[in-house]
Amino acid sequence: SLLSRFRLEPAKRNLYKVFPADLSPEELRFAELLDTSPDVVWWHRNSVRKPDSVGLFRWSSGVGFFPDFVVAVKDRKVGGGVALVELKGIHLQQYDKEKAGAIHAEYGRVFMVGIGSKDRQEQRLFRLSEGQLVDDGLFEVGRLRYD
């Protein structure tokens, strides 16, 4: 059973059928995109440092990295169909660029998604290339199929 002190908005594809109350505006926008995509089987907002959290622990001397979203994607061959997504604001993208190269032992690559620039509010996919974070184009849920 899921309990909340707040009224939670219903969500079609969220694992618990609601949008979590603690999403930032950027996370809510992303969650709404996941919730309306026919490519998503289910999605979940990954908690930080909880017993059921998905984490990568070969990171910064063993400090856990907990990607923001766990998403089951139709026709994804890696990780039993599950993809991990980390959202980053413009101010943190270069600081956390190594996270764009993170690979989970079971689920594969961690996808980094963020706003391309202050002028362009569209969500972009980023990847690590030769130590630099590069814009890999417009984010579309279908791109989560491919590692």
Side-chain angles (χ1 to χ4, degrees), residues 7-12 14 17-19 35:
R7 180 183 175 280
L8 300 176
E9 292 297 319
K12 183 176 178 183
N14 177 272
K17 302 297 181 199
V18 293
F19 286 96
D35 208 58

Side-chain angles (χ1 to χ4, degrees), residues 25-97:
E26 184 175 294
E27 290 169 338
L28 178 58
R29 185 173 158 211
F30 185 76
E32 288 170 340
L33 176 68
L34 295 176
D35 208 58
T36 58
S37 174
D39 290 321
V40 173
V41 178
W42 55 261
W43 64 271
H44 173 64
R45 173 64 167 95
N46 193 33
S47 302
V48 176
R49 295 181 190 88
K50 303 280 187 202
D52 60 345
S53 300
V54 176
L56 291 86
F57 290 93
R58 287 189 217 163
W59 197 262
S60 300
S61 303
V63 175
F65 161 39
F66 302 88
D68 295 315
F69 288 88
V70 180
V71 185
V73 182
K74 288 182 184 171
D75 301 322
R76 180 169 164 78
K77 305 292 187 237
V78 177
V82 173
L84 304 176
V85 179
E86 175 74 1
L87 291 183
K88 284 294 170 206
I90 297 169
H91 62 292
L92 292 175
Q93 287 171 0
Q94 289 299 327
Y95 173 75
D96 278 346
K97 67 183 175 184

